[in-house]
Amino acid sequence: MMQDEYRSLDGSTVAFDLDDVVQVAKGYSQLKKGWHSFIVYDVPTRAFIELRSSPPDYKGNSADEVEEVTEQYVCATLLIEPSRLSALRASPRKWQLVNRRV
């Protein structure tokens, strides 16, 4: 069990288990320009969560943030059709990771 927390859409902090998430897509954040984005779907809460990493500074350090995002954000940012996200919700373990960082 790997616990983490994210900031939900209403601003509260929510704990979640990284072992329960489905890896949805990796790409670049639209909320923080230049940051890497990794979107996961938390099956128990049915939330899409963006894990972000900043570009490394001159010492090689980077900042991380974890925040819930909307389905619309996932579709617009990572070019995933809403029907595919519906299929993800219906059968999360059949989902294949989408890579938009190529």
Side-chain angles (χ1 to χ4, degrees):
M1 199 158 124
M2 290 184 52
Q3 292 290 315
D4 202 352
E5 294 180 339
Y6 65 88
R7 188 176 63 233
S8 70
L9 294 174
D10 67 9
S12 63
T13 301
V14 178
F16 72 108
D17 185 353
L18 284 167
D19 293 330
D20 288 337
V21 301
V22 175
Q23 299 175 0
V24 177
K26 58 183 180 175
Y28 297 96
S29 177
Q30 294 301 310
L31 299 173
K32 298 274 184 143
K33 298 293 182 192
W35 288 41
H36 284 116
S37 170
F38 188 54
I39 303 287
V40 297
Y41 177 68
D42 185 34
V43 176
T45 63
R46 301 178 56 86
F48 289 101
I49 303 164
E50 182 176 52
L51 296 90
R52 292 188 287 269
S53 295
S54 70
D57 64 15
Y58 70 97
K59 292 182 180 180
N61 301 315
S62 63
D64 296 318
E65 295 179 354
V66 183
E67 180 178 9
E68 182 179 6
V69 293
T70 64
E71 181 177 329
Q72 293 78 16
Y73 175 83
V74 175
C75 292
T77 302
L78 298 162
L79 307 174
I80 298 173
E81 295 293 323
S83 60
R84 289 197 61 208
L85 293 183
S86 295
L88 163 64
R89 283 194 174 99
S91 193
R93 301 299 170 204
K94 291 183 180 179
W95 182 262
Q96 298 263 337
L97 176 71
V98 175
N99 184 359
R100 297 291 190 227
R101 278 193 216 153
V102 286

